[in-house]
Amino acid sequence: MSAAAPPPVVDLRHASFGHQGRPVVSDVDLTIAPGQVVAVLGPNGSGKTTLVTGLLGLSDHLGGTVEVLGTPLARLKDRTRIGYVPQRHTLSGGVRATVQEIVATGLLATRPWWRPTGPPDREAVRRALETVGLGDRARFDVDTLSGGQQRRVLIARALVAQPEVLVMDEPTAGVDEASQVVLAGVLRRLATSGTTMLVVTHELGALRGTVDRVVTVDAGHLGFDGTPQEYAAHQAERARAAGREGA
Amino acid sequence: MSDMLALDFMRNALLAALVVGLAAPMVGIFLVQRRLSLVGDGLGHVALAGVAIGVVTDSSPVWTALVAATLAGVVIELIRARGRTSGDVALALMFYGGLAAGVVIINKVQGAQTANLTGYLFGSITTTTRADVVVFAALSAVIVVVTVVLRQRLFAVAGDEEFARASGLPVLALNIVLAVLTAVTVVVAMRVIGLLLISALMIIPNAAAQQLSASFRSATWWAVGIGVVSSVGGVATSYYADTASGGTIVLLAIALFAVAVLGGVLRKAVATARHRRAERHPHEHGLECGHEAVEHGDHVDYLHDGHRHAAHEGHYDEHAPPEYDAAGTRPGRGRGDRAGRHTLEDREEVTR
C-alpha cells in the first residue's frame, strides 16, 4: 500500500443539514481521522442528531461539502460502510423476532435481493453478537431482553456488516447500571480494536475513558472541540465564570 | 365429506379458500409489523370502486379491482413517504370515496337489490368458477414467491425504516412492493371472504401466531397454518351449517385466535412452574463476568457460587447439573427456589 495517509473518515466543510429545506445545523467544519472516538455533546434540540444523521443520508444535506470515507456523500454507494445505531428505546415491533433475526437485517444491503442468507452471513451474525456479549442469546425473543441488551442488539446489527465507522445516537441513555457497565466495555473493546466512532450523547458518563475527542453542538453550531481533559477544564472555566457572574 | 367434494362448485370453493388462506397471512404479517393492520380493509373499500368500473364497462371485475386496489396502495405509500400529517385524512377520503362510489355505481347499473354487490362485499365463494380458481392460484403463487424471496427485506423495512434507509435498502420501493402485494391479496380474497372481511384473514391468523411463537420465522409458519385451517375449514363448515362462507371463515379464525391465546397463557404458566429463578445479581453473565461458562445442551450455563445460571427472558434460571436432571430430582439448595422446596437439610434456610 502507499505511504500516503488514509483519507479522513468524515470531512465536513461549511456543511449544513436540516429537514424539508430548513437548516438545523449549519456551517460545520469537522474532520475525523480513522480510529478516533468522538463524542458529540449538546442539549436536547441542539441539532446534534441532525448532524450525525446527515452523514447517513437521513437528514438533508443543504450546503457545504460532506465527504465520508474519502467520497462525496451523494456518491457513496455502499452505505453499510457506515454502521448506524439509532436512538431507540425498544426493539419490539408489532411482531415477534429473535435477536439473530434482527442482527441479520444489517447484512441485507450487502448482497443482491435474490440471494438468500448463506453460512458466511450466519457466521458474521454470530461474531457480531459475540462482540457485544450476547452470543448466548441469539435465539431469544428480543422482547425478553432488558433495555441495555436491546441497545447492544442494535450495535451488533450495525457491526455485522463490518463498517469502517460507527455512528451511534445516545447508546447509553436510559440504560440500567449493570447494562451501562457492559455497554461501556463493548465500546471500549471496539475503540481498542481501532473502530472509528461518532457517539451522540448528552453526557459523557459511561463513555469516559473511551472517548478521545469531544465536540459540542449548541443551537445549530459547533462549539467546543478538544480532548476530554480540555473539555473538563473548559467546563470548570465556564462554571467559574458563571459563579463570578452570579456573585 | 365426499358429498361435498362431489360438487363441482364446492371443489372450486375449497381450492380458492386454500390459496387465499395460504397467501393472505404471509402478506399480513408485515402489515401487523408496521402496525398498519387496517390498510387491507381500506384497499378492500377502494377495490369495490374497481369492481364497479368492471361492471359498468362489462369487463372482468377481478382485473379492474386489481388495478384500483394497486393504485390506491401505491398512493398510500407515496403519501406516507412524504410524512404529511394530512395523510391520515387523505386515506380516509380515498377509502370511503372508493366504497361509496362502488355502491352507487353498482346499484345504478344493476338495481338496488343486487346480489352481486353483497357477493363482493361479503364473499360468494360458491359462484367461483374454475377459471376464477386458476387466476386466484396464479396470483397467490406470485404473492407467495415474492414474499418468500423478499421476506428478510420486508421484515427489515417494516421493523426499522430509519435503519433500513441508512444501510442503503430501497425503502420506498420495498414499501410499494408490500402495498401491491396487499392489493393483490385483497382481490384474490374478495370472492372468498368479501371485501369488507378480507383484512381479517390477513391479520387474525398473525395475531394468533404471535401468541405461539418466539421468532419471526416460526410466527410466519403458524400464521400460514392457521390461515389455511380457518379458510378451508370455514368453507367446509359453511357448507354443512348452511352459513355465509366469508363470515364463517373469520369467526373460525377468531376462535383459533382465542385458542392460541389460551395455549400461550397455559404454556407460559407451565414454563414458570417448571423452572426456578436464580437469585438476582447486579452484573450480567458473559465473556467478562469472571464466572466459568459451561456448555449445557443447546445453551451456556455460568457457574455462580457453585450453582448454574442460565439466561432466560429478563432473568437467570437455576440449572441443575446434568446428573440431577437425569435422576429427575433437583438439588435442594437453590436460593431462588420459589416453589418452596427448601428442606431442613438446607442449613442456610434454617438459620434465616
Side-chain angles (χ1 to χ4, degrees), chain B residues 307-331:
Chain B
H307 46 127
R308 289 167 168 232
H309 285 183
H312 180 245
E313 303 201 337
H315 56 265
Y316 289 94
D317 286 351
E318 288 288 356
H319 276 197
E323 62 268 30
Y324 283 100
D325 278 348
T329 50
R330 290 162 160 178

Side-chain angles (χ1 to χ4, degrees), chain A residues 56 58 79-80 84 86 88 92-98 101 104-106 108-109 111-113 117 130 133 136-137 140-141 144 149 152 157 178 182 189, chain B residues 29 32-33 35 149-150 152-153 155-156 159-160 162-163 165-169 210 213-217 282-284 287-288 300 302 311-314 316:
Chain A
L56 298 151
L58 296 176
R79 296 276 172 173
T80 56
Y84 177 42
R88 286 189 80 166
S92 55
V95 296
R96 306 242 174 241
T98 62
E101 282 174 328
T105 63
L108 290 174
R111 60 173 192 262
W113 59 268
T117 316
E130 288 291 333
D136 53 344
R137 293 173 196 239
F140 278 44
D141 181 351
T144 64
Q149 290 169 338
R152 276 144 59 203
R157 181 179 68 172
V182 183
R189 229 179 10 249
Chain B
I29 194 164
V32 172
Q33 195 185 4
R35 302 184 194 281
V149 171
L150 292 180
Q152 275 194 302
R153 276 153 208 266
F155 168 77
D160 190 342
E162 195 190 15
F163 175 79
R165 185 169 291 121
S167 71
L169 288 179
Q210 294 301 310
S213 41
S215 71
F216 188 76
R217 171 189 281 270
H283 74 280
E284 191 183 295
L287 285 178
E288 291 166 355
V300 178
Y302 293 92
H312 180 245
E313 303 201 337
Y316 289 94

Side-chain angles (χ1 to χ4, degrees), chain A residues 152-226:
Chain A
R152 276 144 59 203
V153 174
L154 293 178
I155 295 176
R157 181 179 68 172
L159 283 175
V160 71
Q162 301 187 324
E164 287 155 68
V165 53
L166 207 51
V167 174
M168 289 186 260
D169 197 354
E170 301 276 10
T172 56
V175 169
D176 61 89
E177 195 75 34
S179 284
Q180 284 229 1
V181 173
V182 183
L183 205 52
V186 168
L187 297 183
R188 207 175 319 117
R189 229 179 10 249
L190 289 174
T192 319
S193 70
T195 310
T196 313
M197 285 189 271
L198 191 55
V199 188
V200 171
T201 180
H202 61 268
E203 35 107 46
L204 271 179
L207 299 174
R208 208 158 266 133
T210 307
V211 166
D212 42 36
R213 182 173 167 194
V214 174
V215 168
T216 65
V217 180
D218 198 8
H221 292 278
L222 231 54
F224 177 85
D225 185 350

Side-chain angles (χ1 to χ4, degrees), chain B residues 36-59:
Chain B
L36 285 177
S37 293
L38 294 176
V39 143
D41 198 44
L43 291 185
H45 290 18
V46 180
L48 189 71
V51 168
I53 293 166
V55 167
V56 170
T57 59
D58 216 18
S59 47

